[in-house]
Amino acid sequence: MGIKMKNLENKIVNWLKAKMKEANAKGLLCGISGGVDSAVVAALIKKAAGGRVKGAITDAGGKAVKGKEISLNLNEIERVLGIEIETKKVMDIFKG
C-alpha cells in the first residue's frame, strides 16, 4: 500500500506543478479548515509549490473558527508545514 500511496502523492504533486506552470502562477493558496483533509492538501501543495504557499481560513462568524481545538490544529499546521495561515472575515460579503 505504501508504494501506491507514494505514486498517488507524486501524481497529485506533479499535477499541481503542471497547473502552476500552465497558469504561470508564482505560488498557491490553500483553504484550511484545521481538519485532517485540508492539512493533507496543504502538505501536497507545499510539496508542489515549495515556499510559495499561503494558507487561508475564512471566518464566517461560526463556532469552528473560534474553537480552541481548531486554533490548536491551525497552529500545528503552520508549525509543521512552515506555511503562514491568515484568517479572512467574509461575513460582510454576505450582508446586504
Side-chain angles (χ1 to χ4, degrees):
M1 184 161 127
I3 293 174
K4 289 181 183 179
M5 291 303 291
K6 192 65 175 170
N7 288 341
L8 179 59
E9 175 187 341
N10 289 336
K11 284 181 182 181
I12 293 169
V13 168
N14 289 335
W15 181 83
L16 288 166
K17 286 179 179 180
K19 292 299 175 183
M20 281 182 66
K21 185 175 182 179
E22 185 180 302
N24 199 27
K26 295 178 182 170
L28 293 172
L29 175 68
C30 181
I32 299 176
S33 67
V36 173
D37 295 348
S38 64
V40 170
V41 171
L44 291 167
I45 286 175
K46 171 74 179 211
K47 192 165 190 175
R52 302 167 313 224
V53 178
K54 176 79 79 169
I57 183 166
T58 55
D59 182 352
K63 293 179 183 175
V65 173
K66 297 175 184 171
K68 186 176 182 180
E69 184 177 327
I70 296 297
S71 294
L72 291 173
N73 289 347
L74 292 172
N75 291 338
E76 190 71 3
I77 291 167
E78 280 184 312
R79 186 185 67 74
V80 170
L81 295 179
I83 63 173
E84 177 187 349
I85 300 174
E86 291 184 17
T87 300
K88 299 293 183 185
K89 301 219 181 271
V90 295
M91 278 312 292
D92 293 340
I93 295 170
F94 299 107
K95 293 178 182 174

